[in-house]
């Protein structure tokens, strides 16, 4: 077994800690098993020359092969030191392979964030293939969670679960890299949207409806005056 294979098993152990069961009805990911969607499993089976079957029936060897061939290698996690490889792999599983490369490019800086890992991305990675990059990457995930909820409030119910995973990931990779214990849920940049305040949102909605009713009443009154 190569060093990359060893790293894969370490990364997989963390990810499977957070993956399992079937999808929540409001989860945009749909039905999953061990974090693997039905569509991904169908693609895997098709590539193996096998017919489709429910992802609920996936076996443990298949889980490992799907993750290795469809996430670990395509996300380029095999090129990274252990702390960063764990973050890259978990992001590929939790978001998508393309999104993991976009997260990486944004974290590294100075690159076009397009989800394509070319020679320039590899060059910058080689100069920043370390624990510090892994920690900043985790912060980028935390920031994104808040942005996602602001863009789609229906996802608020998942926010705390997402943040628990990101905090755990940050602590895990820091330990793997021999770094100092991080501050849990580190401060977000000033421009990062805060999670919506439910009470404030409700008050604002009531005020908007009241203003609309007043405007409608004014229109009706004006119309009656014109008829007179």
């Amino acid at each position: 077994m190569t060093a990359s294979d060893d790293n894969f098993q370490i990364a997989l152990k963390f990810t499977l800690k957070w993956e399992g069961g079937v999808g929540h009805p409001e989860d945009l990911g749909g039905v999953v098993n061990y974090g693997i969607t039905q569509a991904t499993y169908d693609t895997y089976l098709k590539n193996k020359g096998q017919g489709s079957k429910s992802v609920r029936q996936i076996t443990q060897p298949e889980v490992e092969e799907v993750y290795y061939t469809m996430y670990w290698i395509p996300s380029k996690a095999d090129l990274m030191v252990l702390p960063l490889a764990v973050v890259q792999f978990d992001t590929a599983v939790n978001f998508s392979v393309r999104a993991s490369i976009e997260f990486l490019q944004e974290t590294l800086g100075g690159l076009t964030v397009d989800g394509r890992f070319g020679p320039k991305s590899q060059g910058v990675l080689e100069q920043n293939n370390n624990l510090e990059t892994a920690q900043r990457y985790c912060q980028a995930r935390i920031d994104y969670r808040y942005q996602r909820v602001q863009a789609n409030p229906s996802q608020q119910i998942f926010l705390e679960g997402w943040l628990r995973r990101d905090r755990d990931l940050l602590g895990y990779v820091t330990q793997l890299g021999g770094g100092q214990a991080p501050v849990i849920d580190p401060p977000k940049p000033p421009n990062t949207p805060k999670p919506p305040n439910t009470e404030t949102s409700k008050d604002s909605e009531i005020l908007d409806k009241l203003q609309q009713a007043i405007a409608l009443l004014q229109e009706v009154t004006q119309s009656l005056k014109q008829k007179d």
Side-chain angles (χ1 to χ4, degrees):
M1 181 176 286
T2 66
S4 176
D5 290 337
D6 288 338
N7 289 351
F8 167 68
Q9 291 296 332
I10 293 172
L12 182 62
K13 181 179 178 180
F14 174 85
T15 296
L16 289 183
K17 172 184 175 182
W18 290 95
E19 299 289 351
V22 297
H24 188 286
E26 294 186 48
D27 190 339
L28 300 181
V31 178
V32 298
N33 196 5
Y34 294 102
I36 298 171
T37 67
Q38 183 64 57
T40 298
Y41 190 42
D42 286 342
T43 299
Y44 165 78
L45 292 173
K46 182 178 180 180
N47 291 340
K48 301 280 286 187
Q50 301 178 23
S52 178
K53 58 182 177 180
S54 173
V55 73
R56 298 171 191 267
Q57 298 175 277
I58 194 170
T59 66
Q60 192 61 36
E62 287 178 328
V63 168
E64 293 195 16
E65 188 172 1
V66 166
Y67 276 136
Y68 188 82
T69 61
M70 300 180 71
Y71 292 91
W72 177 259
I73 298 300
S75 72
K76 308 301 180 181
D78 60 314
L79 303 178
M80 304 173 193
V81 297
L82 186 56
L84 185 55
V86 173
V87 180
Q88 181 70 358
F89 173 72
D90 188 67
T91 304
V93 173
N94 196 217
F95 292 83
S96 74
V97 171
R98 184 184 182 91
S100 71
I101 294 176
E102 291 175 349
F103 265 111
L104 177 67
Q105 291 170 327
E106 185 173 359
T107 301
L108 292 173
L111 295 167
T112 300
V113 181
D114 58 5
R116 299 175 182 176
F117 191 86
K120 188 172 182 180
S121 292
Q122 183 167 350
V124 178
L125 170 63
E126 290 172 354
Q127 298 174 13
N128 299 275
N129 195 0
N130 51 45
L131 173 61
E132 182 183 356
T133 298
Q135 291 173 319
R136 288 190 288 109
Y137 194 147
C138 290
Q139 175 64 66
R141 279 181 43 157
I142 290 171
D143 294 344
Y144 172 78
R145 304 298 193 181
Y146 288 110
Q147 295 169 357
R148 181 173 178 181
V149 169
Q150 185 180 62
N152 187 349
S154 72
Q155 300 296 286
Q156 174 74 42
I157 59 176
F158 302 110
L159 180 59
E160 189 51 41
W162 290 336
L163 293 178
R164 281 198 301 270
R165 180 172 182 160
D166 294 339
R167 293 166 189 156
D168 191 29
L169 178 62
L170 177 57
Y172 185 63
V173 299
T174 299
Q175 182 180 23
L176 288 174
Q180 295 182 347
V183 175
I184 300 300
D185 202 4
K188 299 177 293 300
N191 293 332
T192 301
K194 296 180 180 179
N197 183 304
T198 304
E199 294 300 324
T200 302
S201 299
K202 288 182 179 178
D203 291 344
S204 178
E205 182 179 353
I206 293 173
L207 181 58
D208 288 343
K209 290 183 178 179
L210 181 59
Q211 290 175 337
Q212 292 174 8
I214 293 173
L216 180 60
L217 182 59
Q218 289 175 338
E219 290 179 6
V220 172
T221 302
Q222 184 65 31
S223 177
L224 291 174
K225 286 182 179 180
Q226 291 176 351
K227 289 181 180 181
D228 292 341

